[in-house]
Amino acid sequence: MSTQPRAFGPVGDRAWQHFPEAREQITDLVCTQMRRAIDADQMPEPVDQFEYALQAVRPLIRDLGLVDLDRDLVRRFCLFCRDLLGYSGPDGNQVSYVLGMYVLDGLDGPPVVRVIRQVDPGLIELVRARFPGMWAEE
């Protein structure tokens, strides 16, 4: 992991990095926060990390395993997950929670596991180790 300062926090930065097609949504999230700050005459608050997961990442991968998604998108999704699983910053527990609850939750079962196994079989065990019971094959 790079130690350079980031703009959007761990989830937002990885979403920006791995999903160029989500950049418009990320921009909208940041602009909304800026507008709220202007309207309230306050300093802007950072976008909550779960918002990046829900509004920028989740729409891209919600059909993982159910439809034939672009293999490159699946590969980038796997890299995104690996980056967040390997994140060790001070907000690591929050990042892990966001990954489990807002990205991976609902992406489960044999169809998803089959797709992931084709692209990044090692990721399956990493996810299962962090989130027991997730990505079960039965």
Side-chain angles (χ1 to χ4, degrees), residues 25 34 47 64 118:
Q25 186 59 42
M34 297 299 282
V47 174
L64 185 66
Q118 292 172 9

Side-chain angles (χ1 to χ4, degrees), residues 15-16 18-23 25-26 52-64 67 69-70 73-74 76-77 107:
W16 184 274
H18 294 297
F19 304 113
E21 59 270 69
R23 290 180 180 168
Q25 186 59 42
I26 293 168
Y52 293 118
L54 276 178
Q55 296 187 39
V57 176
R58 189 67 187 209
L60 297 174
I61 50 93
R62 72 175 150 238
D63 294 329
L64 185 66
V67 296
L69 289 181
D70 173 20
L73 176 62
V74 176
R76 289 181 288 126
F77 170 69
L107 294 179

Side-chain angles (χ1 to χ4, degrees), residues 110-123:
V112 172
V113 173
R114 275 192 297 274
V115 169
I116 298 298
R117 190 177 309 285
Q118 292 172 9
V119 175
D120 186 352
L123 179 61

Side-chain angles (χ1 to χ4, degrees), residues 43-131:
M43 290 296 293
E45 294 289 326
V47 174
D48 286 327
Q49 295 300 290
F50 78 89
E51 293 288 351
Y52 293 118
L54 276 178
Q55 296 187 39
V57 176
R58 189 67 187 209
L60 297 174
I61 50 93
R62 72 175 150 238
D63 294 329
L64 185 66
L66 302 177
V67 296
D68 189 22
L69 289 181
D70 173 20
R71 194 171 182 87
D72 181 60
L73 176 62
V74 176
R75 181 190 61 76
R76 289 181 288 126
F77 170 69
C78 292
L79 291 171
F80 173 80
C81 291
R82 280 186 173 274
D83 279 358
L84 293 182
L85 287 165
Y87 180 75
S88 61
D91 50 355
N93 287 338
Q94 178 195 18
V95 169
S96 182
Y97 180 80
V98 167
L99 176 63
M101 181 61 70
Y102 297 104
V103 176
L104 300 177
D105 187 52
L107 294 179
D108 206 356
V112 172
V113 173
R114 275 192 297 274
V115 169
I116 298 298
R117 190 177 309 285
Q118 292 172 9
V119 175
D120 186 352
L123 179 61
I124 295 167
E125 294 309 315
L126 290 174
V127 167
R128 288 177 181 165
R130 176 74 58 89
F131 307 104

